[in-house]
Amino acid sequence: MGIEDKFQAAADKISGKAKETAGEATGNEELKAEGKADQLKGHLKDAAENVKDAAENVKDAFKK
């Protein structure tokens, strides 16, 4: 996983949590839902990168 990808996934999760918290504090359900969606997006990016890394490791194992 590249450093930019890790940073972007973390940024999505952090900003999502902030939106969710702000939505809860203000009673804004739309903002709360948007925050949860942003967090999910960050987690999905992490998962996709983990799959890429695992595939690369398998590929490298067969090269040896």
Side-chain angles (χ1 to χ4, degrees):
M1 180 182 223
I3 192 73
E4 293 104 16
D5 296 325
K6 286 183 182 181
F7 179 77
Q8 186 59 50
D12 287 340
K13 290 185 277 188
I14 291 168
S15 68
K17 186 63 179 173
K19 286 180 184 179
E20 180 184 8
T21 302
E24 287 176 357
T26 61
N28 185 333
E29 291 299 317
E30 186 176 328
L31 184 60
K32 183 178 171 182
E34 186 179 326
K36 286 184 178 187
D38 286 350
Q39 289 177 72
L40 179 60
K41 186 169 102 175
H43 288 295
L44 290 173
K45 284 180 182 179
D46 280 340
E49 289 301 318
N50 289 340
V51 168
K52 286 181 193 176
D53 290 345
E56 189 66 32
N57 290 340
V58 168
K59 180 179 159 187
D60 290 344
F62 282 105
K63 285 184 178 180
K64 294 180 181 181

